């Protein structure tokens, strides 16, 4: 939208292409598409070229394997060649957009290429309300629809996500032959965008359903017991978009800073799933369902130690480098020098933090076994629980 607005303000043509379009192309097609795009732009210059999702082609390069890498490489090289070919008379401006500026190939960011960066922060509540109003233009919407309420429950949504909610609501309304979007359809659309499309076809067996229910209730229960955790918005064991279950937390207000206490509670909540599996089904019956939780927990703990300087014994020093999540997957930028002994204390500290929070999760769950069973068995039956239904167990 910003790129389009720039073109509008400058009164020049706007040519756009999305990086993800190249993902499924045959080798060579992407590069020739880029060539055509730049040729056209130069012909009608002054003009603005907009490349959306530039990270899809501009990721850091790896020693090549397979067709897709070759294709991406060729496309990326073509963009770089075109941009380097600009001279002072070329009245073409290239704008790229990405949610992952941390993974971009450094070659893209050199002077003369994408050398200026504008960070567009996520909209706050007031912004979200206005953005929803913009996307609502041209759509028929019932008076009862409350954008203010929707704005307050869409913390963390980008402008595009908000646009998707309204588009989805329009599609659902059309399917029901309704002439106007009503609040119920908007709510449906909202949930669909947030959790991915319901995949009823993904059938779980009874054991998996039970494990998933206890796992998710573990997250929810700890979310309730840890006082720095965001409140539970919904618990579900309806499979959606690849996940068997989901516990969804909703921050009560927009927050930018995160405290150490909040991180620790987050770790505890993340381990609530695995801890429940262990307690209710036994150490040998723990499942792969916790892998994403463990991945996230590890990244948080590493960041606390290596990036945020939250542990005096390690120090207020950056050990992770300037980019990425410090998650050791090798995708982050250059890492500062870390001596072997420091590395060892970092590793030990991270392990200690994670172990402490796992044990805390175990204790919380042991202390609340009865309630846990009650909620889990209810969830097995209902499949979904909203905030009010969940809170009712604690009143
Ligand atoms: Zn989980």
């Amino acid at each position: 939208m910003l790129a389009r607005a720039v073109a509008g303000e400058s009164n020049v043509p706007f040519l756009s292409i999305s990086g993800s379009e190249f993902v499924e192309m045959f080798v060579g097609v992407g590069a020739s598409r880029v060539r055509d795009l730049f040729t056209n732009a130069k012909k009608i210059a002054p003009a603005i070229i907009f490349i959306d999702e530039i990270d899809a082609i501009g990721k850091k390069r790896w020693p090549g394997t397979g067709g897709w890498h070759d294709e991406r490489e060729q496309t990326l090289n073509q963009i770089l060649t075109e941009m380097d070919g600009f001279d002072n008379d070329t009245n073409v401006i290239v704008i790229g957009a990405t949610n992952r500026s941390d993974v971009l190939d450094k070659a893209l960011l050199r002077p003369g290429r994408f050398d200026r960066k504008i960070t567009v922060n996520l909209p706050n509540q007031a912004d979200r309300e206005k953005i929803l109003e913009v996307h609502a233009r041209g759509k028929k919407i019932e008076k009862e629809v409350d954008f203010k309420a929707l704005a307050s429950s869409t913390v963390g949504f980008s402008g595009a996500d908000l646009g998707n909610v309204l588009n989805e609501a329009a599609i659902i309304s059309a399917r029901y032959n309704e002439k106007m979007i009503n609040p119920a359809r908007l709510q449906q659309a909202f949930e669909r965008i947030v959790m991915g499309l319901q995949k009823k076809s993904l059938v779980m067996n009874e054991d998996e359903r039970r494990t998933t229910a206890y796992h998710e209730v573990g997250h929810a229960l700890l979310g309730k017991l840890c006082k720095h955790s965001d409140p539970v918005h919904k618990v579900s064991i309806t499979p959606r978009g690849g996940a068997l279950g989901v516990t969804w937390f909703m921050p009560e207000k927009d927050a930018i800073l995160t405290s150490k206490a909040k991180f620790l509670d987050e770790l505890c909540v993340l381990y609530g799933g695995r801890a429940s599996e262990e307690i209710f089904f036994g150490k040998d019956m723990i499942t792969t369902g916790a892998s994403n939780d463990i991945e996230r927990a590890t990244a948080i703990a590493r960041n606390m130690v290596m990036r945020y300087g939250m542990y005096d014994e390690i120090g207020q020093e950056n050990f992770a480098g300037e980019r990425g999540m410090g998650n050791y997957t090798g995708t982050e930028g250059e890492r500062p020098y870390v001596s072997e002994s420091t590395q060892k204390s970092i590793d030990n500290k991270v392990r200690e933090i994670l172990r402490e929070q796992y044990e805390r999760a175990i204790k919380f769950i042991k202390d609340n076994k009865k309630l846990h069973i009650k909620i889990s068995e209810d969830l097995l039956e209902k499949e979904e629980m909203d905030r009010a239904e969940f809170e009712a167990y604690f009143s």
Side-chain angles (χ1 to χ4, degrees):
M1 282 171 103
L2 208 53
R4 202 179 284 276
V6 170
E9 288 292 318
S10 337
N11 228 339
V12 301
F14 175 78
L15 300 148
S16 83
I17 194 160
S18 171
S20 61
E21 286 170 32
F22 295 110
V23 173
E24 281 163 16
M25 283 184 185
F26 295 111
V27 174
V29 176
S32 79
R33 180 80 63 92
V34 168
R35 212 157 30 234
D36 291 349
L37 182 71
F38 279 80
T39 311
N40 281 341
K42 282 184 211 162
K43 238 183 265 165
I44 54 172
I48 288 178
I49 292 179
F50 176 62
I51 306 175
D52 200 4
E53 299 176 76
I54 187 128
D55 49 283
I57 24 176
K59 263 189 212 138
K60 286 191 192 84
R61 281 176 274 197
W62 296 97
T65 42
W68 155 231
H69 287 273
D70 293 345
E71 172 56 10
R72 196 175 73 187
E73 181 102 25
Q74 284 193 21
T75 308
L76 177 60
N77 282 337
Q78 192 62 42
I79 292 176
L80 298 179
T81 310
E82 295 289 349
M83 288 176 84
D84 290 346
F86 284 179
D87 49 39
N88 287 337
D89 310 324
T90 314
N91 280 318
V92 177
I93 287 181
V94 188
I95 301 177
T98 177
N99 289 322
R100 297 293 316 273
S101 65
D102 55 321
V103 302
L104 290 181
D105 197 305
K106 279 217 164 86
L108 265 177
L109 307 171
R110 280 194 203 119
R113 295 173 177 173
F114 293 96
D115 53 5
R116 269 157 233 212
K117 192 154 105 185
I118 301 167
T119 306
V120 183
N121 288 316
L122 286 175
N124 63 27
Q125 186 168 335
D127 300 336
R128 289 196 297 272
E129 193 179 339
K130 291 211 178 85
I131 292 171
L132 283 167
E133 280 161 13
V134 170
H135 284 291
R137 277 182 210 153
K139 291 192 178 67
K140 288 185 178 148
I141 293 177
E142 284 186 1
K143 274 205 299 290
E144 287 70 34
V145 167
D146 183 358
F147 282 142
K148 196 169 189 149
L150 185 59
S152 73
S153 59
T154 43
V155 176
F157 276 47
S158 68
D161 296 334
L162 294 167
N164 278 341
V165 173
L166 281 166
N167 289 335
E168 191 70 35
I171 291 168
I172 299 172
S173 305
R175 200 172 297 149
Y176 286 92
N177 279 321
E178 292 163 351
K179 297 219 158 51
M180 294 177 104
I181 297 174
N182 63 41
R185 299 293 172 235
L186 204 59
Q187 178 66 20
Q188 256 174 301
F190 164 65
E191 289 180 2
R192 204 170 277 194
I193 299 296
V194 171
M195 301 191 188
L197 290 168
Q198 291 204 2
K199 279 197 181 159
K200 288 267 187 193
S201 58
L202 195 83
V203 185
M204 284 190 275
N205 67 41
E206 247 339 275
D207 286 348
E208 283 171 334
R209 283 191 79 231
R210 173 155 271 116
T211 307
T212 306
Y214 278 79
H215 177 113
E216 293 307 328
V217 170
H219 289 309
L221 195 61
L222 292 200
K224 178 73 190 172
L225 296 171
C226 294
K227 67 173 183 182
H228 298 283
S229 170
D230 294 323
V232 173
H233 183 77
K234 192 166 218 169
V235 194
S236 161
I237 52 166
T238 309
R240 293 158 206 270
L244 296 185
V246 61
T247 303
W248 184 27
F249 297 90
M250 180 70 87
E252 284 193 305
K253 48 185 187 280
D254 293 304
I256 293 156
L257 296 176
T258 306
S259 67
K260 179 176 174 181
K262 179 152 195 204
F263 277 134
L264 291 175
D265 277 0
E266 245 173 71
L267 293 176
C268 185
V269 171
L270 279 170
Y271 281 137
R274 165 52 62 83
S276 306
E277 293 180 20
E278 185 184 319
I279 288 173
F280 292 103
F281 304 99
K283 264 192 190 297
D284 294 338
M285 294 309 289
I286 51 177
T287 72
T288 50
S291 69
N292 183 255
D293 300 334
I294 293 173
E295 197 180 314
R296 279 163 62 199
T298 309
I300 291 172
R302 285 210 179 277
N303 276 336
M304 290 173 77
V305 175
M306 299 170 65
R307 193 179 296 273
Y308 308 140
M310 285 177 169
Y311 288 87
D312 287 343
E313 56 272 50
I314 307 294
Q316 333 292 325
E317 204 175 319
N318 180 325
F319 300 104
E322 51 181 297
R323 292 170 167 192
M325 292 291 287
N327 56 8
Y328 278 58
T329 54
T331 52
E332 73 249 51
E334 286 152 40
R335 298 236 320 272
Y337 169 74
V338 181
S339 75
E340 219 174 287
S341 69
T342 304
Q343 187 60 56
K344 207 165 179 184
S345 16
I346 290 173
D347 291 345
N348 288 338
K349 191 74 219 174
V350 168
R351 221 157 279 159
E352 180 192 314
I353 296 168
L354 294 178
R355 192 171 301 135
E356 269 177 22
Q357 291 310 317
Y358 185 67
E359 279 161 13
R360 191 168 155 231
I362 291 270
K363 184 172 183 329
F364 270 138
I365 288 175
K366 277 189 176 155
D367 291 348
N368 294 277
K369 251 179 155 172
K370 258 200 189 133
L371 183 61
H372 197 137
I373 295 172
K374 173 96 185 89
I375 305 176
S376 304
E377 294 298 325
D378 287 353
L379 181 63
L380 266 170
E381 212 162 285
K382 285 193 203 168
E383 214 171 82
E384 265 186 12
M385 238 178 240
D386 62 20
R387 181 173 179 174
E389 290 169 301
F390 179 72
E391 290 289 337
Y393 290 98
F394 303 91
S395 59

